[in-house]
Structures are given as structure tokens and as C-alpha cells.
Amino acid sequence: MAGNGMVHTMASVLSPAAGAYLVAKFGFAQSFIFLGWGLIASGILAWFGVKEQQYRQAAAELMAESHGHGQGSRNSTEEGGLDGIPWLFYGIPLAISCSQGILFFELPLLKEARGSILTSGVFFSLVSLGALVTLSMLFLSRISPLIRTSFGSLALALIFFGMSVHWPVPMYASLFLIGMAKGVIFPAIASLLAAVTSSSRYGRAFSILSISYSVGAFIGPIVAGQIRTHVSPYFIAFVFLMLALTLIPFRAFAAPPARA
């Protein structure tokens, strides 16, 4: 999972700047043709390179092992442990995704990005580059995921507040800091879910997490488009994040599981 996340982060660093360069160099139509052929080539390589039988066998072994230990996990959960994740916790990924949607709506409209598509692409790459820097700090994994989630979300909220009041930090630096905060938050949320959820509930927990991200990504641009002429969208992102932080049920995570 760590390797998969690192590959995706590397791709998110390179792809916005590369896409903007292709559009500036060849235009939208030709760029999409290049990307289409690249996807076809990737599909062909995956067809011949991925050994499906090997992964099926590994998945079957993991499933058998999970069923072997599943009864104990269910008993500890039913007898007083953390029965899933408190619903209010999902406000954090929703608010983060909403703030990200607001940011991605605003970036192409910035004065610096209007004059050049390449500049807009570089802005998006800076966010991913900041996340890559934080993900490379492996020592952060020793800190509690709840602490990382909380302080990362607080830092992200403060950055958006600074942007809403036009703080003296340059836009390039602000985007890089946003990326660093995201690099702390996203792995921490996944680690926290895995730590407090029994293996039989992983599917449900991570499905709700994906729904929260999707709903936030849907709400963010709509809110930014509606209120940007009246109030800074970055301030709305700050409000969403602070509200989600306020509602986190810390006691639910701090409570030790009851023993049978």
C-alpha cells in the first residue's frame, strides 16, 4: 500500500506540469491523442505483465487467514471494543476533500495562472510535490495517526485562513505547504481506520471513507462557484475544516477496548 501510494504521488507531481506542457506545446486535441495512446500502451503492458493467478492465490490465502482469526475480532468488538468508526470522524475526510475541491476550482482562476496554462499546471504539481516531501519523512509513522490527522487538518485550516486574508506568503509556498499537510493527513486517516476497525469491517469503513471524499469533492467546487463573489472560498475551506475538527469524538478513539 505504501508503494502504491508513493507511485500515485509521484504521478500526481509530474502529471499536471506534463499535461500543461503538452497543451501549451501541441494543443488540447493532440494532447488527448497522446494520452489516449499512452493509456492503450499501459493496458497492453498490464495485460501481459500482471499475473492474475498469482494474486488470486495470495488473496485466497489472506482470506482464509482472516476467517481463522475473525471470531476473536468479532467477540472483542461486540464486548465493548470500538464498534467501527464514529460517524462524526468522517467529517474530516469530507472537509478535506471539500477544501481540496475549492482549491482546485480557484487555482486556474488566479491572476498568475490566467496568462499561462503551464503556470496552472505547475501550481497543481506543487501541491503534490509538498505531499511527496512529507511522505518521504518516514519517521512520521511513529506518531499516533489520530494526532497526525488532527494536527495535519489544523495546519491545513490555518493555511487556508492565511490565504483568505492574503497573508504575505507567496502562492507557490502556500500550495507547497498545503501539499505537505495533505501528505500527513491522508496516510494517517487510512492508518487510523485500519487500527480501530476489525478486519471484517474494512470494506465498509473504507467504502464510507471513499464516499466522504467523493461528496466533499462534489460540494467544494459548487460552494466556491456560488460564494466567491461575496467571501473568499479559502475562508469557507477554513470553516469546514475547523468545524470537522471541533466535532471529532476524541474520547471514542482514546477509550481502550474492553477485554473479554
Side-chain angles (χ1 to χ4, degrees), residues 117-132:
I117 296 178
L118 184 59
T119 302
S120 180
V122 170
F123 279 162
F124 285 103
S125 290
L126 280 172
V127 177
S128 299
L129 184 61
L132 180 61

Side-chain angles (χ1 to χ4, degrees), residues 4 94 110 169 199 206 217 226 253 257:
N4 179 66
L94 190 149
L110 292 176
V169 179
S199 58
F206 283 94
Q226 292 295 323
F253 292 103

Side-chain angles (χ1 to χ4, degrees), residues 9-142:
T9 304
M10 288 291 294
S12 64
V13 171
L14 298 175
S15 58
Y21 174 79
L22 286 175
V23 171
K25 190 75 173 179
F26 303 104
F28 283 102
Q30 198 68 26
S31 298
F32 279 114
I33 292 175
F34 291 151
L35 293 175
W37 281 111
L39 289 173
I40 293 173
S42 299
I44 294 173
L45 291 174
W47 180 273
F48 291 103
V50 177
K51 307 298 182 182
E52 187 175 2
Q53 185 61 35
Q54 175 184 351
Y55 294 111
R56 284 182 177 178
Q57 182 179 355
E61 293 174 356
L62 288 173
M63 185 65 69
E65 183 179 350
S66 175
H67 285 314
H69 299 284
Q71 187 65 34
S73 298
R74 282 193 294 270
N75 289 341
S76 64
T77 300
E78 292 171 0
E79 294 180 10
L82 289 173
D83 189 9
I85 303 293
W87 286 103
L88 289 175
F89 171 77
Y90 290 103
I92 287 289
L94 190 149
I96 292 171
S97 184
C98 184
S99 66
Q100 181 173 271
I102 291 174
L103 177 67
F104 287 174
F105 178 86
E106 287 293 312
L107 281 185
L109 301 177
L110 292 176
K111 180 177 61 177
E112 299 90 341
R114 288 179 182 177
S116 172
I117 296 178
L118 184 59
T119 302
S120 180
V122 170
F123 279 162
F124 285 103
S125 290
L126 280 172
V127 177
S128 299
L129 184 61
L132 180 61
V133 169
T134 310
L135 290 172
S136 302
M137 301 177 182
L138 302 180
F139 63 88
L140 290 176
S141 61
R142 302 175 185 175

Side-chain angles (χ1 to χ4, degrees), residues 153-165:
S153 301
L154 178 61
L156 186 61
L158 294 178
I159 295 169
F160 276 114
F161 179 79
M163 294 171 66
S164 69
V165 297

